[in-house]
Amino acid sequence: MTTAIHTEQTSPDVAGVDKHSGKDVLLKVRGLRKHFPIKSGFIFSREVAAVKAVDGLNFDIYRGETLGLVGESGCGKSTTGRTILQLHRATEGLVEYEGVELTTLKGNKLREMRREMQIIFQDPYASLNPRMTVQRIVAEPLLVHGIGDSKSREKRVADLLELVGLNPYFADRYPHEFSGGQRQRIGIARALALDPSFIVCDEPISALDVSIQAQVVNLLEQLQADLGLTYLFIAHDLSMVRHICDRVAVMYLGKIVELAESEELYTNPLHPYTQALLSAVPVPDPNVEDSRQRIILKGDLPSPANPPVGCNFNTRCPVAVDVCHELEPDLIEILPEHWVACHRVT
Amino acid sequence: MAESNESKPVQLIDDESISQKHSSPMGDALRQFRHNKASVVAFFVILFFLFMALTAGIWTQVGLLDHARGYRATHTINPTGWEGVDAWPDPGHCARDNLDRDEQWCAYLSPEEQLRFSDKCGRPDLTEEDLEQRQWCYLLGGDSQGKDWLSQTVYGSQVSLAVAVTGSTVSLIVGIIYGVISGYYGGRLDNVMMRFVDFLYGIPGLVIIILMQVYFREISREYSDSEGIVGFVVGLDKSMGGLFFLFIAIGLLSWIGMARLARGQVLSYREKEFVEAARAVGASDRRIIFVHLLPNVIGPLLVAETLAIPGYIFTEAFLSFIGLGVQPGVPSWGEMISRIRQQGGLFSNRHIVLVPSIALVALTLAFNFFGDGLRDALDPRLRGKV
């Protein structure tokens, strides 16, 4: 398969950020790929191509931090989150959680690991089973893992609801009786039920009203402070990401193009894609806003089933040169803690 | 976590925004269903038919209904009304009860009158009890063999409802299991299972059912006295009046549409985020199917099944009409209509064809209206659509 070539280009330690240390790596992702096969044929179908949703990711998540994952629709952000949680099984690569390799885990061992990692979903309407009461929804993780009896589970659910700012009195209600923000809190309560240390937030606020967004973000931050949680925060709202994240990774077409601490990334974006992305963020100061130079990218996102040769971004890059069409750039540390995958940045 | 730290709720949501009135999905559905007058009426019509079918034996036992003799007369009828009766006794006319013409006359007098005219009847030995036994009326007429038409219609509903219940049960159970497995596990298994369904779908169902019934008939004849499993099945079928083979013939193809529908429903829910959430906490496939998928997909399936029931009833009536349904002598609506065709009397006694036909139409329409209401109640988004 063609993927073998890519693996050589991005050596597993390229983003071995742990050497900069002092920092405690909770989750290590190396060479992660998730390809969805495109099949054709009658009954005995064969794979004719693959959508390369995630195509070779290398990054670490430190304990207690919030790592933002941004990028436009269809660039593989959500797939990354789900592959880390083993909701999708990786096509290739490693996901190590506290030294435990997840991609090969199965059955009960994987189920045990799931207690550590949870997910909060984007759509608070689709993420709660409409046929279950809040009590049953929040208690389900406990039930699945056989924790406590029904009495203690009820107590635990009440605690959790209170923790996320809901009145436990409503535990016997069905999800449709709650508003979007309230439902999102129920989803958060469910994610917290097993006392995880790592939570993938898959665009947890994009489906909410702006006023509710702030509430939910504050809740997430509060919970992080209180419970020592680590977040992988997937979003496309760049200003929200700047607010909540310690570090930010920018994805384009299944690859990370830039990874840096939040302030560094927003003040000193090096990759042309990141620059274009950030130039689209409106500034709430009319004087600055007037002088804001927008970088408008030409064309559409190429199909992830057939990405361009060389640098993924070369079809739309304003500064692409010949080498960009031939060689795939590695993610390299240009500045301390600032990783960029671009031939033009040195 | 929650126990170990003293974190306070970030901000308690204002409880006002949550309606104080509790509502559950089932409660909402029930309320919605009650709004639909036609469905409620249909529901009671179905209940009525079910009640009559289940209690027919009791009515016969207490003497209000008799397969051979009709309704018990509550009052005597003028004997002159007996004149002009042809092969199909008219409604309101009383049974001859195998007496000869003179005695017949007697049978329609009150016991006191009969005793009074006992010399005329030529049966001075009749006791009061005997005379009372003879007082039966055909409320809806009788057939050419002197059997009550109403009683046969009531007994016929047993056949129709048995087919409705069995057909839908088989279809639901097999269809849901098949469809859920196919939709949930997907991949090549799904592909193979669904191609098989497509294949069955392409076969004209009624032709297959007719051929199967012909085959079963032959088997019954051939193996009527044999031992072993075939003999047992044939005997079972015989004791059920031919219903067992009918169940097989109707059930064998009834699940196909259900399997397709169940698969489609599962496919649409399988990727929902709440299913993914269950997977993320490590829920087993069994739990996801039974706790998360089935309760959500069952509504539309029940509606589709209810709307499919008239089809089963019609299939049975049709098979019985062409003589491939229930065994001769077992009253079924289709068989009753077929008897009219064979023995004549359609013009002289129009009511005779109306009785089983109206029963058939009423029951099938009731299932249709009931299914309609059920759909509106279970899925408000589909209201008004077919």
Side-chain angles (χ1 to χ4, degrees):
Chain A
M1 257 178 68
T2 52
T3 48
I5 306 160
H6 300 300
T7 325
E8 279 166 36
Q9 284 177 350
T10 45
S11 70
D13 256 331
V14 70
V17 212
D18 34 343
K19 67 181 177 241
H20 287 282
S21 240
K23 284 185 174 168
D24 183 3
V25 177
L26 182 73
L27 189 93
K28 206 188 256 189
V29 175
R30 290 294 175 272
L32 186 69
R33 289 174 209 282
K34 176 65 199 177
H35 295 182
F36 294 102
I38 304 169
K39 288 184 174 162
S40 93
F42 180 74
I43 300 189
F44 298 104
S45 51
R46 59 211 167 77
E47 195 179 318
V48 291
V51 173
K52 293 164 182 153
V54 174
D55 204 17
L57 296 189
N58 296 294
F59 61 92
D60 292 332
I61 299 177
Y62 303 132
R63 192 182 298 279
E65 79 163 343
T66 302
L67 176 67
L69 201 52
V70 298
E72 60 196 294
S73 302
C75 71
K77 307 186 294 284
S78 292
T79 309
T80 305
R82 284 165 162 77
T83 311
I84 288 174
L85 294 182
Q86 307 304 312
L87 290 173
H88 296 322
R89 299 319 290 258
T91 310
E92 211 182 295
L94 304 177
V95 178
E96 263 182 49
Y97 181 88
E98 292 192 312
V100 182
E101 222 286 277
L102 298 180
T103 53
T104 50
L105 278 189
K106 280 199 176 78
N108 275 334
K109 281 187 179 150
L110 181 60
R111 184 168 301 144
E112 276 310 303
M113 288 311 290
R114 292 199 188 284
R115 297 178 65 157
E116 292 293 314
M117 314 175 294
Q118 279 302 311
I119 180 165
I120 299 169
F121 292 98
Q122 168 176 15
D123 183 352
Y125 290 88
S127 62
L128 306 177
N129 187 340
R131 301 273 161 192
M132 285 164 91
T133 60
V134 171
Q135 166 73 35
R136 286 187 65 203
I137 289 171
V138 179
E140 179 170 37
L142 305 170
L143 195 68
V144 166
H145 287 269
I147 299 169
D149 51 23
S150 68
K151 259 271 169 320
S152 69
R153 279 198 292 265
E154 206 167 305
K155 170 85 173 58
R156 174 86 172 120
V157 170
D159 290 344
L160 284 165
L161 290 179
E162 214 156 309
L163 188 67
V164 299
L166 285 173
N167 190 337
Y169 173 73
F170 295 117
D172 60 343
R173 297 300 175 89
Y174 286 87
H176 72 267
E177 297 172 80
F178 294 89
S179 69
Q182 290 164 336
R183 286 162 151 252
Q184 198 57 290
R185 284 166 193 259
I186 297 168
I188 295 173
R190 171 180 57 193
L192 293 175
L194 290 171
D195 210 352
S197 21
F198 174 59
I199 294 183
V200 172
C201 305
D202 189 1
E203 311 210 22
I205 51 170
S206 8
L208 304 175
D209 287 348
V210 177
S211 58
I212 308 294
Q213 285 187 356
Q215 282 183 18
V216 172
V217 163
N218 289 342
L219 172 67
L220 287 172
E221 287 190 317
Q222 171 95 54
L223 291 170
Q224 183 169 39
D226 290 346
L227 309 174
L229 299 171
T230 305
Y231 292 141
L232 176 64
F233 196 90
I234 299 167
H236 53 240
D237 180 339
L238 293 168
S239 38
M240 196 59 94
V241 168
R242 184 179 193 168
H243 169 74
I244 195 171
C245 296
D246 302 311
R247 291 191 306 147
V248 178
V250 181
M251 272 186 87
Y252 183 80
L253 214 59
K255 290 192 164 73
I256 290 181
V257 296
E258 189 161 5
L259 170 64
E261 283 178 355
S262 210
E263 271 319 299
E264 165 75 7
L265 187 96
Y266 279 82
T267 51
N268 183 25
L270 294 178
H271 196 282
Y273 179 65
T274 315
Q275 289 167 355
L277 210 58
L278 290 179
S279 81
V281 180
V283 185
D285 177 342
N287 296 326
V288 183
E289 175 70 13
D290 281 349
S291 61
R292 181 163 66 99
Q293 293 278 313
R294 286 211 57 185
I295 305 168
I296 310 281
L297 292 178
K298 305 181 299 281
D300 289 323
L301 195 67
S303 159
N306 187 20
V309 182
C311 174
N312 265 343
F313 189 51
N314 65 25
T315 53
R316 301 167 79 189
C317 184
V319 295
V321 291
D322 286 350
V323 65
C324 301
H325 293 276
E326 288 151 18
L327 269 181
E328 195 185 327
D330 288 336
L331 188 64
I332 35 179
E333 194 169 14
I334 304 285
L335 298 165
E337 286 292 302
H338 193 148
W339 301 74
V340 183
C342 181
H343 293 300
R344 300 298 307 278
V345 180
T346 41
Chain B
M1 164 179 150
E3 301 91 316
S4 61
N5 71 65
E6 55 278 71
S7 78
K8 286 191 199 70
V10 180
Q11 162 214 4
L12 266 177
I13 293 229
D14 109 59
D15 296 339
E16 303 291 306
S17 61
I18 301 171
S19 137
Q20 291 303 310
K21 219 170 115 209
H22 191 73
S23 79
S24 69
M26 278 325 288
D28 287 348
L30 201 65
R31 201 165 320 121
Q32 176 63 40
F33 185 79
R34 283 209 300 260
H35 279 301
N36 194 334
K37 295 280 182 294
S39 323
V40 175
V41 170
F43 177 67
F44 282 110
V45 169
I46 295 171
L47 271 193
F48 171 76
F49 272 101
L50 260 179
F51 177 75
M52 287 310 290
L54 291 175
T55 56
I58 297 175
W59 298 128
T60 309
Q61 243 165 32
V62 300
L64 282 175
L65 203 62
D66 191 288
H67 202 130
R69 288 180 298 182
Y71 254 106
R72 186 187 283 271
T74 48
H75 57 275
T76 53
I77 288 169
N78 189 331
T80 53
W82 188 247
E83 300 299 323
V85 159
D86 63 8
W88 299 88
D90 273 329
H93 280 146
C94 292
R96 184 162 23 175
D97 203 11
N98 295 327
L99 301 172
D100 64 33
R101 191 144 177 88
D102 278 348
E103 286 173 321
Q104 231 181 69
W105 190 84
C106 239
Y108 304 110
L109 300 177
S110 73
E112 298 80 31
E113 284 172 323
Q114 283 183 28
L115 283 178
R116 195 139 41 89
F117 292 110
S118 61
D119 53 331
K120 201 171 177 184
C121 291
R123 294 283 300 272
D125 56 314
L126 285 177
T127 64
E128 221 166 303
E129 211 170 293
D130 287 334
L131 288 168
E132 208 204 333
Q133 284 272 319
R134 295 218 173 92
Q135 297 203 19
W136 297 87
C137 270
Y138 291 142
L139 203 66
L140 296 175
D143 68 10
S144 58
Q145 284 152 10
K147 288 183 174 179
D148 176 36
W149 210 232
L150 175 72
S151 297
Q152 294 190 51
T153 309
V154 172
Y155 278 93
S157 72
Q158 288 183 335
V159 173
S160 288
L161 285 167
V163 167
V165 169
T166 326
S168 53
T169 310
V170 169
S171 154
L172 269 182
I173 292 177
V174 178
I176 287 181
I177 292 176
Y178 196 94
V180 166
I181 290 176
S182 178
Y184 186 77
Y185 292 101
R188 182 162 295 168
L189 180 73
D190 177 40
N191 208 345
V192 171
M193 284 175 91
M194 279 302 123
R195 292 302 79 75
F196 178 61
V197 163
D198 289 346
F199 168 71
L200 291 182
Y201 216 80
I203 297 175
L206 201 55
V207 174
I208 291 296
I209 290 176
I210 290 173
L211 287 177
M212 265 196 296
Q213 281 296 96
V214 170
Y215 177 68
F216 288 147
R217 276 286 150 94
E218 205 59 32
I219 283 189
S220 310
R221 228 192 323 273
E222 204 83 350
Y223 294 93
S224 56
D225 300 319
S226 69
E227 301 282 309
I229 192 134
V230 181
F232 173 75
V233 170
V234 168
L236 180 68
D237 180 61
K238 194 165 271 175
S239 66
M240 288 170 76
L243 274 180
F244 185 73
F245 285 146
L246 209 54
F247 290 160
I248 294 180
I250 291 179
L252 211 60
L253 291 174
S254 66
W255 57 273
I256 296 171
M258 190 52 46
R260 279 186 159 184
L261 193 64
R263 170 179 174 271
Q265 288 286 321
V266 167
L267 280 186
S268 75
Y269 275 95
R270 191 180 65 167
E271 302 300 328
K272 282 265 160 71
E273 287 181 338
F274 66 80
V275 175
E276 211 154 9
R279 219 170 262 145
V281 301
S284 59
D285 284 352
R286 203 181 59 189
R287 184 177 169 83
I288 289 173
I289 289 175
F290 284 102
V291 177
H292 293 285
L293 292 177
L294 273 185
N296 281 293
V297 306
I298 199 86
L301 302 185
L302 281 181
V303 171
E305 196 51 61
T306 312
L307 294 174
I309 286 178
Y312 307 142
I313 295 177
F314 269 125
T315 306
E316 181 277 323
F318 167 74
L319 288 175
S320 298
F321 181 79
I322 62 171
L324 287 173
V326 291
Q327 283 167 2
V330 177
S332 133
W333 294 340
E335 184 265 347
M336 289 165 76
I337 296 172
S338 138
R339 239 187 296 153
I340 298 165
R341 184 178 61 89
Q342 286 166 3
Q343 300 174 354
L346 183 57
F347 286 119
S348 60
N349 294 284
R350 287 197 177 85
H351 65 275
I352 228 84
V353 74
L354 282 182
V355 174
S357 309
I358 288 177
L360 193 60
V361 169
L363 187 59
T364 49
L365 271 185
F367 272 113
N368 270 323
F369 278 115
F370 178 66
D372 249 19
L374 206 60
R375 182 189 55 211
D376 292 352
L378 292 179
D379 195 350
R381 279 169 304 169
L382 289 178
R383 203 160 299 155
K385 293 182 196 161
V386 179

